[in-house]
Amino acid sequence: MTALHVPVLLDEVLQALAAGPGQTVVDATFGAGGYSRALLDSGARVYAFDRDPDAIREGEGLVARYPDRLSLHPHRFSEMAQEMRRLGVPAVDAVVMDIGVSSMQLDQAERGFAFSAEGPLDMRMSREGPSAADFLNSAREEEIADVLYTYGEERQSRRVARAIVAARPLRTTGDLARVVRKALGYHAGAPKDPATRSFQAVRIHVNAELDELEAGLRAAEVLLREGGRLAVVTFHSLEDRIVKRFLREAAGANSGTSRHLPTRAAGPAPTFERLTKGIRPSEAEIARNPRARSSTLRAAIRTAAPARNDLGEAA
C-alpha cells in the first residue's frame, strides 16, 4: 500500500459525499486506497472494488487496520450493485468513482501503461484478456485508426495506424512510443509528447473503459438509497462528457418538450438532483500533484425515484 498516496480533489470529494460514522460507502475504484483511507478516517464503513488484482493484494494492509469497516472486492465497478446485493447490502449512502488508470498502475513499468519507462506493452487493468500488444499486432489498420481517433482524439490517426502496422511486431511501451513519435514528429522539450493520445486510446480500448463507465454509473444509480451521494472524478473530456450526460439525463434535464411539438408522455421521474458543475483542482493542488491538472469532479444526490435500469434484478 502506498501510504502517502493522496488522490486528487480529496477535500472536494469528501465534502460531496458527506460521509461519516455509521454510513456505508462504496469506493468503486480502490486503486492505492486514498479515498478509502480518508472515508475510513471519517468513520464510514467502506466496501472497495477494483478489478486489478495488484490493488486488492496491496490493500490488505489497510484491511488489517480497519478489519470491521473495510472489505475489498475483486470485481469491476459495473458489478458493484449485484455484488452488494449478494452480500446482503442492497443500498448504500455514497459511491465514489475515480475513473481511468491509477497512479499505482502508471508508476509500475511492468504494467505497460506509460511510456516514461520501458516495459511490456500490456495495459490490462485486470491482467486478463488480450493485451495492448495483442491488439496492435493483430488488428486491421482501419480498426487501429478508429480506436486512436475515437478514444485518443488523435487527428492523424490514419498516419499513426499505418506506422504501427508497418512496424509490427510491437512488444514494449518504448516500441509504441517511438513509432508514434516518428509518425507525428517529435522534438525534445515539446510541451506534450505526441504518444500521449495514442497510449490513452489503446488503454481505453483494451480495458473497455468507456463502456465500463456507463455501466458503473447505472450500477451506482441502482445501489444508492434516497439521499445517497455520488461523486465521480474523471481525467479527460471523453469520460467527463459521459458522466455529465448521464447525470443530466438522470436529473430529467433532457425531458422537456417544445410548445411547438406534439405533447409527449412524461419521462421517468428524475433519479438524481442537485448536480454540481464540473469542479476542478486548485492551483495549489496542481502544484503539489501535476497529475491533478486534468481532473474534474461531478457530484449529485439520489432521489426517491426507482432506478431507470435495474440491471436485470429487482431493485
Side-chain angles (χ1 to χ4, degrees):
M1 174 64 59
T2 306
L4 298 181
H5 171 71
V6 178
V8 303
L9 293 165
L10 178 59
D11 291 341
E12 293 84 351
V13 165
L14 293 177
Q15 182 177 359
L17 296 178
Q23 293 196 305
T24 301
V25 183
V26 166
D27 181 351
T29 48
F30 179 70
Y35 291 121
S36 283
R37 184 181 295 105
L39 290 164
L40 291 163
D41 289 343
S42 78
R45 167 69 168 97
V46 178
Y47 294 83
F49 286 72
D50 206 300
R51 59 170 148 171
D52 188 335
D54 290 3
I56 297 297
R57 183 176 62 255
E58 292 294 321
E60 292 299 336
L62 193 58
V63 174
R65 289 177 52 193
Y66 300 93
D68 300 323
R69 290 195 291 116
L70 174 63
S71 57
L72 301 179
H73 304 274
H75 297 277
R76 296 170 179 262
F77 55 70
S78 59
E79 301 168 340
M80 60 184 164
Q82 292 96 325
E83 179 64 12
M84 293 298 288
R85 285 170 173 169
R86 189 188 68 80
L87 296 170
V89 186
V92 300
D93 300 296
V95 173
V96 58
M97 303 170 67
D98 178 6
I99 306 305
V101 66
S102 72
S103 297
M104 180 177 64
Q105 290 164 333
L106 285 171
D107 291 340
Q108 295 175 343
E110 67 273 16
R111 299 300 302 273
F113 285 99
F115 48 79
S116 55
E118 190 90 5
L121 193 53
D122 194 323
M123 301 193 192
R124 296 171 298 173
M125 291 180 177
S126 65
R127 291 189 178 272
E128 297 177 341
S131 67
D134 293 332
F135 166 64
L136 292 173
N137 289 327
S138 64
R140 293 179 295 107
E141 181 179 317
E142 294 79 5
E143 183 181 1
I144 295 172
D146 287 346
V147 165
L148 299 180
Y149 183 81
T150 302
Y151 298 143
E153 300 179 294
E154 174 55 72
R155 295 181 179 180
Q156 300 188 65
S157 59
R158 295 186 183 279
R159 176 184 295 182
V160 176
R162 191 179 310 119
I164 288 172
V165 170
R168 287 171 172 171
L170 304 180
R171 296 187 175 89
T172 70
T173 54
D175 290 344
L176 177 58
R178 285 186 286 271
V179 168
V180 177
R181 289 166 182 160
K182 184 176 180 180
L184 297 179
Y186 175 63
H187 306 284
K192 186 173 183 179
D193 194 309
T196 302
R197 293 185 295 273
S198 293
F199 268 73
Q200 172 186 298
V202 174
R203 189 201 82 220
I204 289 174
H205 173 73
V206 165
N207 296 288
E209 291 180 36
L210 300 189
D211 291 341
E212 179 73 6
L213 172 56
E214 292 183 350
L217 291 168
R218 294 193 299 271
E221 180 180 305
V222 169
L223 188 55
L224 285 166
R225 64 163 178 80
E226 179 184 356
R229 294 167 176 258
L230 173 66
V232 186
V233 177
T234 59
F235 287 86
H236 57 73
S237 59
L238 293 174
E239 298 167 342
D240 184 53
R241 283 198 293 269
I242 289 173
V243 177
K244 182 179 180 179
R245 183 181 68 247
F246 174 87
L247 290 176
R248 282 180 56 83
E249 291 176 353
N254 299 331
S255 62
T257 59
S258 167
R259 63 187 177 90
H260 301 293
L261 297 174
T263 301
R264 294 184 296 174
T271 53
F272 282 97
E273 62 184 0
R274 294 169 61 182
L275 279 57
T276 66
K277 295 184 178 180
I279 299 170
R280 302 299 306 277
S282 66
E283 290 300 322
E285 178 173 2
I286 293 172
R288 293 193 305 270
N289 179 13
R291 286 178 178 169
R293 182 178 301 278
S294 60
S295 61
T296 301
L297 165 66
R298 293 189 185 274
I301 296 178
R302 187 71 167 83
T303 69
R308 296 165 298 160
N309 178 343
D310 101 23
L311 308 178
E313 300 179 34

